[in-house]
Amino acid sequence: MSGTSAAARARADISPGTAPGAAGSADRRPLAARFALFAECLLAGVWLLLAALALVTALPAFAAACGHLRRYLDAERAGWREFAAEWAAAVRTGWRFSLLWWAALALLAFDLRVVSSGLLPGGPAVAAVGAVTAAAAVAVVVTGLRAAAAWRPGADWFRTGRAAARRTLRTEPGGSLLLAGGLAVVGVAAWMLPPLAAPALGCLAACAVAVERRHGRP
């Protein structure tokens, strides 16, 4: 879906000299723009889900979905060809970073499995370790998503990831909490009705773009 001309028309403002008969149509434009953006989120979620099926391509797929939504919001050409090209570039340069991200998550998941097995002595101390491990897992997921949202073609994934980690843990924890809430929504949607995972992922990509842009990053 190409949102270039449609987005520009939907976001056009009514001029002061517009005829009264056109005012009602102009008043509906912001609502139409919001629905058009939501439709792009749904489409980006479907593309993201398909491109992430190999798992190691999950972060590159998320980066491509964020890039698609940025282009749409900026009234640039935003179609599946542009999405596929950015996804291919992200996979080519970011598969090592993605593997490291998955390895960290697998290690934390193993730790959680051991802690929750009930085989370890310690009682409250073990429960505290489990809570810290769960929080660390959420932080790793959010850091990966923020890195993917901030990545641009040609950028170094590891440098982008280090900057995303600083924003996640130190400089912009508020945005990280927003993304963590979005992750919870995706999890609940997928648990209630698995087909809802695709549109929820698209909305999560839009949330990541908004988190990055609220602090002045294009």
Side-chain angles (χ1 to χ4, degrees):
M1 179 184 298
S2 176
T4 306
S5 59
R9 289 194 300 269
R11 289 191 291 270
D13 294 325
I14 182 171
S15 61
T18 305
S25 175
D27 291 339
R28 290 193 294 269
R29 285 174 183 171
L31 182 62
R34 286 193 290 269
F35 274 106
L37 177 58
F38 181 65
E40 289 296 325
C41 290
L42 302 186
L43 180 62
V46 173
W47 290 347
L48 195 167
L49 187 62
L50 293 175
L53 287 178
L55 294 185
V56 73
T57 60
L59 285 183
F62 194 82
C66 291
H68 169 77
L69 293 175
R70 278 194 303 270
R71 287 188 294 273
Y72 174 80
L73 289 171
D74 294 337
E76 299 175 1
R77 184 176 180 83
W80 68 268
R81 290 183 179 86
E82 289 74 22
F83 174 90
E86 188 163 355
W87 174 78
V91 171
R92 187 169 55 252
T93 59
W95 65 270
R96 293 180 183 86
F97 181 85
S98 188
L99 275 179
L100 181 63
W101 184 70
W102 278 114
L105 287 178
L107 178 61
L108 290 169
F110 175 76
D111 290 344
L112 279 174
R113 183 68 179 269
V114 172
V115 168
S116 62
S117 65
L119 301 177
L120 297 178
V126 173
V129 170
V132 171
T133 304
V138 173
V140 169
V141 174
V142 170
T143 298
L145 296 182
R146 296 197 71 163
W151 179 83
R152 300 293 188 276
D156 180 76
W157 271 92
F158 287 94
R159 185 178 295 111
T160 305
R162 287 192 293 270
R166 286 193 297 272
R167 294 196 299 276
T168 297
L169 301 175
R170 292 170 52 192
T171 60
E172 298 172 15
S176 302
L177 289 176
L178 288 174
L179 272 179
L183 279 171
V185 171
V186 171
V188 170
W191 172 71
M192 292 179 60
L193 192 61
L196 289 178
L201 284 172
C203 293
L204 182 63
C207 178
V209 171
V211 164
E212 295 301 310
R213 287 199 166 189
R214 69 197 285 262
H215 289 282
R217 281 178 294 276

